[in-house]
Amino acid sequence: FTAYEPIMRHFGCFVPDECPQHGEYCACLPQPATPALGFTATMSRSDGAGLGQVWQDVAFTRDTSWAIRKGYLVQPVGYRLTIEVPPTAEGGFPPPGPRAFMASLAGQDAQITDSIAPERAVEKWFELAKDRPTILFAPLVRSARAFRDAFLAAGISAAVVYGDMPDAERKQVIADCKAGRSTVLCHAMV
């Protein structure tokens, strides 16, 4: 973020996405009193700190239950497959900030990909959600692909979608899922 510091000094307001990570962005601001308006879909931090330690006030919220009541979302049915992940070398949570969070995810992603987790996910899917359209959330693209490959190996139609995927390709994958051509959509970083 310090690479952006010379540019950021010319602005009088800061509007970050993923505002729980705001502390690392603040180092780039021209002065601590620079007005900031943050947005996020993640109301918690990886280090366990509350938003009140980072932001002065939460002005507007819409949670999942509100969206379900209003008909924007359907009631989800979720299952969690727990994978044992050892703490960082320093112990406990990684330090706050986007870089540390991504490094932590990369470590978890490698552990998932190199374990039996993809095969276990397929076993659990047969037990709990067989033939149901399914979205599987993976930490990063590598593990999303490993999960997709495990479903394909078991004869289940599956696809992967991720944030850096070309727009036309992402739209096609989602259209295939909506049309029932893919039963499991393995999702990362979207």
Side-chain angles (χ1 to χ4, degrees):
F1 297 104
T2 55
Y4 296 109
E5 187 173 352
I7 298 167
M8 292 176 73
R9 292 193 181 281
H10 298 284
F11 296 96
C13 182
F14 180 54
V15 184
D17 184 22
E18 291 303 326
C19 68
Q21 307 303 331
H22 182 259
E24 190 164 318
Y25 299 131
C26 285
C28 300
L29 296 177
Q31 55 182 324
T34 300
L37 171 67
F39 295 89
T40 188
T42 310
M43 293 297 289
S44 62
R45 292 172 50 100
S46 61
D47 64 358
L51 285 180
Q53 295 174 354
V54 180
W55 286 92
Q56 185 176 17
D57 195 12
V58 176
F60 182 79
T61 63
R62 289 290 185 249
D63 63 13
T64 303
S65 62
W66 175 88
I68 291 169
R69 283 193 312 274
K70 292 292 190 176
Y72 296 113
L73 296 174
V74 297
Q75 180 70 43
V77 177
Y79 299 100
R80 177 182 287 194
L81 179 62
T82 302
I83 308 293
E84 291 294 325
V85 178
T88 62
E90 299 81 30
F93 289 103
R99 287 188 200 116
F101 179 70
M102 289 306 295
S104 172
L105 274 183
Q108 292 175 26
D109 189 66
Q111 289 177 319
I112 290 169
T113 303
D114 297 338
S115 74
I116 61 167
E119 290 78 16
R120 288 272 298 129
V122 172
E123 290 170 11
K124 279 297 193 185
W125 183 84
F126 274 112
E127 179 185 326
L128 301 169
K130 184 178 179 184
D131 300 325
R132 289 184 180 168
T134 301
I135 299 175
L136 186 148
F137 294 91
L140 294 175
V141 177
R142 180 178 165 205
S143 57
R145 288 179 174 146
F147 283 113
R148 176 208 51 205
D149 294 347
F151 277 97
L152 291 173
I156 308 304
S157 58
V160 66
V161 65
Y162 52 93
D164 289 342
M165 179 180 268
D167 193 47
E169 186 179 346
R170 183 177 327 129
K171 286 179 181 177
Q172 184 60 55
V173 168
I174 292 170
D176 288 345
C177 287
K178 286 181 178 179
R181 290 185 288 273
S182 291
T183 303
V184 178
L185 179 62
C186 301
H187 165 293
M189 309 301 289
V190 176

